[in-house]
């Protein structure tokens, strides 16, 4: 169950993880401008509390499926910054050996299934993982991240209908950051409280804030508990905000003026600091945490930069499980 | 004394491909009020690749329409609107996302005319960038010509120059059947001369982009430029290649292919998209069936390797056609049937 008052250690660890994601993304952005990272690069800055809260609330064996804005999501599952940075650089020690890239990163060891570039196309996969949980009665649950934009896809609606019909233990985690590329929420949906999408299939749903990591943790824990108990899936809409453009090539001129600054007042790191103050944690302690993280990220960058390129032999290794066709 | 101006060459402007496409759409929308543009980010964002830049301003939100990310829904809606008498242009942000709408395109757009015995037809254009860009990974790098060309009831156009983009898009919009119109992200910024005076290029007509005598390179879309570069290098090595740009994949300009093989007796097809059951296979079969006696060597295909696209840029290049792979194939076909 969700714990309404997390411990000092818990909060410090969450702070560290959120700052790690942020710092990692800042360095990834720099590497992108240096053309060490190519193709697409969708940054998670602003939404760190969601991934960290989600991961804290799930079991290590619960399957998690992501879309394409996944650097933070996979890192919160415990995959090392080195393996993720190397993947972005297309290098051999990358988490998918450099063949996946920014949008396609999976780790079986961490039950993180990826990494999908077709908006909404990944959602039914998580329902499949939950189907297996129910089939084998193994007590597991699954969670799928997707955006407000993805909640317009047919695959999303069909997946919800099936999950509820068969009471599958799946948490549909809708990260509503108010934009799908340049399209604001009011211009892409007739309702803006997207959790209500679940009403059509009779699925339990609610909204929560996505800036306070403790709040995310609490709500995801409740949703997972509900799903695991056999009462059916949950659509949890988490209200959040991305600080950067959709991808590295998006100047994000579509924001309302002052909107970004307003959102930043509720920044997940600031809120976490507020939680830590009563525990006697001050700026000096936090600076130490940040310093250690900066070194970890710098190490990831240098590691990725020096690592061997993806191996051409891999091209033929992953056509079919049973061998090349 | 004033000089006579009658003999002046037709005026042209240097346009980017995206500008040529925009000009074609805008002219057709001015001409015909039933034409409208629909797709993700086409209006307020000016298009993900800025093809429709400024069109919202000129035509307003009733005719330049941003959609939610619901390809299956808006493609089906547009097909219905076409049956009802409008002429939609549907932009896919990339053709990769058309797979979400595949059922609508194949089971509805391609079949309605036949299923209703001609009562309804579907004058619609689906358009967007096609093929690999740079390091976009497995799900964002596919080429779709052979996929859509497989089905009767669809036309497939795939362009590689600003002029062709303009002239063929205008024809596609005026066509009474569904046209799958494929562009390339890598070519949107490429510039070329386009005549200022309005013109159309007919669907189904290939175009010789370079003349030559020893071997014909058959190609389309951005591989035209790979072939032209290869032909230039081969010229220096004493091999003369012509480059035949199909421009339309279906209906296929068979006559142009037959004429080419009768002239050069050797042919290499250069395409993006997989080898297996690709457009190159279809061309090789048809040319061989019709012109077997004209061939001095088997028709070779340079295609994407039959592999899902890796992210790593170096590996990606190994999968795609390249100047070197084209040159090797030309040398191979030219080494056959000579003197031996
Ligand atoms: C089927 C499909 N259509 C379009 C796209 C292009 N696209 C990539 S991300 C995106 C916006 C998604 O917005 P949202 O779901 O809100 O996620 P966010 O980017 O906010 O994390 C679009 C339109 C795609 N990848 N797949
Ligand atoms: Mg969004």
């Amino acid at each position: 169950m969700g714990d309404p008052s997390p411990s000092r250690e818990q909060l410090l660890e969450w702070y560290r993880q959120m700052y790690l994601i942020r710092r990692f993304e800042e360095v990834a952005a720099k590497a992108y401008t240096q053309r060490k990272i190519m193709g697409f690069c969708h940054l998670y800055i602003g939404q760190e509390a969601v991934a960290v809260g989600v991961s804290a609330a799930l079991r290590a064996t619960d399957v998690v499926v992501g879309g394409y804005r996944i650097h933070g999501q996979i890192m919160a599952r415990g995959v090392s910054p080195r393996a993720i940075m190397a993947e972005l650089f297309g290098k051999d020690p990358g988490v998918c050996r450099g063949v996946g890239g920014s949008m396609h990163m999976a780790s079986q060891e961490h039950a993180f299934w990826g990494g999908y570039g077709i908006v909404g196309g990944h959602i039914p996969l998580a329902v499949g993982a939950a189907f297996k949980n129910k089939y084998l009665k193994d007590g597991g649950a699954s969670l799928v991240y997707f955006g407000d934009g993805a909640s317009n896809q047919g695959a999303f609606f069909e997946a919800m209908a099936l999950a509820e019909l068969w009471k599958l233990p799946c948490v549909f985690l809708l990260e509503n950051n108010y934009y799908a590329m340049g399209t604001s929420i009011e211009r892409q949906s007739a309702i803006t409280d997207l959790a209500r999408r679940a009403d059509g299939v009779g699925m339990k749903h609610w909204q929560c804030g996505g800036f306070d990591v403790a709040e995310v943790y609490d709500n995801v824990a409740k949703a997972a508990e509900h799903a695991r108990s056999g009462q059916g899936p949950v659509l949890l809409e988490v209200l959040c905000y991305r600080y950067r453009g959709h991808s590295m090539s998006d100047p994000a001129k579509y924001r309302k003026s002052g909107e970004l600054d307003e959102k930043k007042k509720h920044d997940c790191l600031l809120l976490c600091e507020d939680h830590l103050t009563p525990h006697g944690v001050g700026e000096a302690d936090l600076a130490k945490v940040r310093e250690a993280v900066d070194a970890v990220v710098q190490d990831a960058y240098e590691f990725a930069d020096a690592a061997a390129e993806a191996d051409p032999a891999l091209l033929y290794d992953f056509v079919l499980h049973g061998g090349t066709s | 004394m004033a000089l006579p101006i009658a003999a002046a060459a037709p005026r042209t402007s240097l346009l980017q491909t995206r500008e040529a496409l925009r000009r074609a759409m805008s002219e057709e929308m001015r001409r015909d009020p039933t034409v409208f543009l629909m797709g993700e980010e086409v209006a307020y964002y000016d298009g993900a690749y800025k093809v429709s830049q400024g069109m919202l301003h000129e035509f307003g939100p009733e005719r330049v329409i941003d959609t939610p990310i619901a390809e299956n829904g808006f493609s089906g809606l547009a097909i219905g609107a076409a049956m009802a008498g409008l002429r939609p242009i549907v932009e896919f942000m990339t053709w990769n996302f058309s797979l979400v709408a595949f059922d609508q395109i194949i089971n509805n757009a391609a079949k309605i005319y036949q299923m209703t015995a001609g009562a309804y037809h579907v004058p619609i254009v689906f358009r967007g960038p096609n093929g690999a860009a740079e390091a976009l990974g497995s799900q964002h790098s596919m080429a779709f010509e052979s996929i859509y060309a497989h089905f009767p009831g669809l036309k497939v156009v795939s362009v590689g120059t600003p002029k062709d983009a303009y002239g063929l898009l205008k024809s596609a919009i005026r066509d009474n059947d569904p046209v799958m119109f494929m562009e390339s992200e890598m070519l949107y910024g490429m510039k070329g001369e386009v005549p200022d005076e309005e013109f159309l290029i007919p669907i189904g007509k290939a175009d010789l982009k370079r003349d030559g005598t020893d071997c014909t390179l058959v190609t389309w879309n951005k591989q035209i430029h790979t072939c032209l570069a290869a032909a230039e290098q081969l010229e220096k090595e004493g091999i003369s290649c012509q480059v035949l740009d199909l421009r339309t994949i279906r209906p296929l300009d068979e006559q142009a292919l037959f004429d080419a093989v009768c002239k050069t007796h050797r042919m290499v097809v250069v395409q993006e998209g997989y080898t297996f059951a690709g457009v190159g296979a279809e061309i090789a079969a048809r040319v061989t069936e019709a012109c077997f006696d004209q061939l001095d060597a088997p028709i070779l295909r340079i295609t994407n390797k039959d592999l899902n696209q890796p992210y790593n840029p170096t590996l990606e290049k190994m999968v795609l056609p390249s100047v070197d792979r084209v040159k090797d194939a030309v040398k191979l076909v030219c080494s056959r049937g000579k003197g031996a």
Side-chain angles (χ1 to χ4, degrees):
Chain A
M1 259 318 284
D3 180 351
S5 51
S7 68
R8 179 181 189 276
E9 284 61 43
Q10 185 63 86
L11 284 164
L12 266 175
E13 174 55 15
W14 286 344
Y15 183 87
R16 190 192 66 80
Q17 287 185 27
M18 292 191 296
Y19 181 72
L20 173 61
I21 294 171
R22 178 157 309 176
R23 186 71 201 138
F24 181 96
E25 294 288 58
E26 285 166 359
V27 171
K30 185 184 81 177
Y32 192 89
T33 58
Q34 297 169 326
R35 291 182 65 82
K36 292 180 189 291
I37 298 173
M38 302 286 286
F40 286 125
C41 187
H42 306 99
L43 302 180
Y44 200 61
I45 294 177
Q47 299 176 216
E48 297 90 343
V50 184
V52 172
V54 161
S55 296
L58 296 179
R59 299 177 187 165
T61 48
D62 291 337
V63 165
V64 176
V65 190
Y68 53 86
R69 194 180 297 285
I70 51 166
H71 309 169
Q73 296 165 357
I74 189 170
M75 207 173 321
R77 277 305 263 187
V79 175
S80 77
R82 278 187 168 198
I84 301 170
M85 194 67 86
E87 188 60 38
L88 297 179
F89 280 50
K91 298 296 185 75
D92 187 60
V95 64
C96 287
R97 308 283 311 272
V99 301
S102 167
M103 295 196 294
H104 310 302
M105 294 197 269
S107 172
Q108 193 176 29
E109 187 191 336
H110 300 87
F112 190 84
W113 278 13
Y116 297 88
I118 303 301
V119 166
H122 62 300
I123 300 173
L125 302 179
V127 179
F131 181 88
K132 171 260 182 184
N133 293 138
K134 189 176 180 195
Y135 191 88
L136 296 182
K137 301 184 180 62
D138 63 9
S142 68
L143 179 140
V144 57
Y145 291 99
F146 56 98
D148 44 285
S151 81
N152 292 297
Q153 278 287 352
F156 163 63
F157 287 97
E158 294 186 27
M160 275 200 302
L162 292 169
E164 180 60 33
L165 177 67
W166 294 330
K167 299 276 184 262
L168 303 178
C170 182
V171 177
F172 293 74
L173 192 122
L174 196 169
E175 286 184 273
N176 183 355
N177 60 12
Y178 301 93
Y179 290 94
M181 293 187 72
T183 305
S184 63
I185 184 79
E186 323 74 65
R187 294 205 299 109
Q188 50 159 321
S189 176
I191 57 167
T192 52
D193 43 348
L194 298 173
R196 281 170 55 206
R197 295 249 200 272
D199 270 335
V201 301
M203 187 195 290
K204 194 164 178 70
H205 60 81
W206 69 88
Q207 267 184 346
C208 74
F211 293 100
D212 181 348
V213 59
E215 183 180 353
V216 175
Y217 168 78
D218 206 35
N219 281 279
V220 176
K222 284 196 179 83
E225 166 81 15
H226 180 88
R228 244 186 265 282
S229 72
Q231 297 175 79
V234 173
L235 173 59
L236 177 59
E237 179 188 0
V238 183
L239 302 173
C240 51
Y241 200 76
R242 73 166 149 71
Y243 293 178
R244 300 295 183 98
H246 166 72
S247 66
M248 292 299 294
S249 60
D250 169 24
K253 289 193 208 135
Y254 40 78
R255 298 184 204 277
K256 297 175 194 85
S257 85
E259 186 178 82
L260 180 59
D261 290 334
E262 190 52 42
K263 297 286 181 187
K264 280 184 174 174
K265 287 185 192 153
H266 311 284
D267 185 83
C268 62
L269 294 170
L270 294 179
L271 292 186
C272 196
E273 286 173 23
D274 289 347
H275 283 306
L276 280 161
T277 314
H279 290 284
V281 178
E283 174 50 29
D285 306 292
L286 296 174
K288 247 185 251 161
V289 173
R290 290 198 298 267
E291 208 175 299
V293 168
D294 290 348
V296 167
V297 175
Q298 183 59 26
D299 166 75
Y301 175 92
E302 283 163 18
F303 172 81
D305 204 23
E309 286 287 329
D311 181 355
L314 295 179
L315 285 174
Y316 295 91
D317 282 354
F318 302 123
V319 181
L320 289 171
H321 191 260
T324 318
S325 64
Chain B
M1 200 183 92
L3 291 166
I5 53 166
R11 286 178 54 111
T12 66
S13 296
L14 196 60
L15 296 187
Q16 291 185 350
T17 307
R18 60 164 63 83
E19 294 167 334
L21 292 163
R22 185 187 313 147
R23 183 183 147 195
M25 289 193 287
S26 300
E27 284 177 6
E28 292 307 301
M29 285 178 67
R30 282 174 213 133
R31 193 185 58 82
D32 180 349
T34 66
V35 178
F36 66 93
L37 173 66
M38 172 177 273
E40 289 154 21
E41 308 290 347
V42 297
Y44 287 91
Y45 199 72
D46 276 334
Y49 300 103
K50 306 297 167 215
V51 172
S52 55
Q53 192 156 39
M55 288 179 65
L56 171 67
H57 184 71
E58 177 174 355
F59 298 103
E62 282 85 26
R63 296 181 72 194
V64 179
I65 304 161
D66 278 329
T67 64
I69 313 170
E71 287 84 358
N72 195 31
F74 69 70
S75 296
L77 179 156
I79 293 165
M83 291 174 75
L86 301 182
R87 304 187 83 89
I89 307 168
V90 174
E91 175 174 307
F92 288 126
M93 195 175 285
T94 79
W95 272 95
N96 299 285
F97 313 143
S98 75
L99 290 179
V100 178
F102 200 56
D103 176 58
Q104 288 299 329
I105 297 171
I106 305 305
N107 270 317
N108 289 340
K111 298 184 179 178
I112 279 165
Y113 186 61
Q114 178 259 348
M115 292 190 297
T116 64
Y120 295 97
H121 64 284
V122 183
I124 193 168
V125 177
F126 290 98
R127 51 157 288 273
N130 177 64
E134 261 182 319
L136 300 189
S138 196
Q139 294 184 326
H140 277 65
S141 302
M142 288 219 289
F144 284 86
E145 288 92 344
S146 69
I147 307 286
Y148 289 106
H150 186 64
F151 295 94
L154 301 178
K155 296 184 179 180
V156 178
V157 174
S158 191
V159 293
T161 69
K163 186 178 165 189
D164 292 333
Y166 167 83
L168 276 155
L169 184 53
K170 286 177 71 88
S171 293
I173 294 167
R174 295 186 193 188
D175 203 282
N176 280 337
D177 288 305
V179 181
M180 312 286 113
F181 194 93
M182 299 180 189
E183 303 152 12
S184 164
E185 185 188 331
M186 305 302 287
L187 300 181
Y188 280 141
M190 194 193 73
K191 287 184 175 168
E193 294 293 343
V194 183
D196 290 345
E197 198 171 323
E198 183 178 28
F199 64 96
L200 278 79
I201 295 173
I203 291 174
K205 279 268 164 274
D207 183 46
L208 201 63
K209 288 285 190 287
R210 178 194 171 104
D211 209 354
T213 52
D214 297 329
C215 178
T216 302
L217 295 168
V218 179
T219 192
W220 56 90
N221 202 307
K222 73 170 174 286
Q223 297 309 327
I224 299 166
H225 307 286
T226 311
C227 289
L228 289 172
E232 193 150 317
Q233 293 183 20
L234 286 162
E235 189 76 56
K236 294 185 187 122
E237 300 175 35
I239 302 174
S240 161
C241 288
Q242 60 178 19
V243 177
L244 184 66
D245 174 9
L246 282 183
R247 303 193 292 194
T248 302
I249 308 303
R250 189 167 182 166
L252 189 62
D253 189 349
E254 290 190 329
Q255 197 54 53
L257 289 165
F258 299 162
D259 290 348
V261 89
C262 289
K263 179 177 166 195
T264 64
H265 309 288
R266 292 177 180 81
M267 184 172 272
V268 174
V269 185
V270 182
Q271 60 155 86
E272 267 190 68
Y274 310 118
T275 322
F276 197 99
V279 177
E282 185 63 31
I283 291 169
R286 284 176 190 242
V287 172
T288 307
E289 283 164 17
C291 309
F292 182 71
D293 296 332
Q294 291 290 333
L295 282 165
D296 281 349
I299 297 170
L300 295 186
R301 290 167 288 163
I302 296 299
T303 69
N304 277 24
K305 305 254 172 77
D306 277 328
L307 298 167
N308 288 316
Q309 199 80 327
Y311 158 66
N312 176 284
T314 310
L315 267 56
E316 173 174 55
K317 289 194 189 79
M318 295 176 184
V319 171
L320 295 169
S322 66
V323 171
D324 285 342
R325 286 178 64 200
V326 173
K327 282 170 66 182
D328 288 347
V330 170
K331 286 177 188 168
L332 194 61
V333 295
C334 288
S335 71
R336 297 280 297 258
K338 256 196 184 152

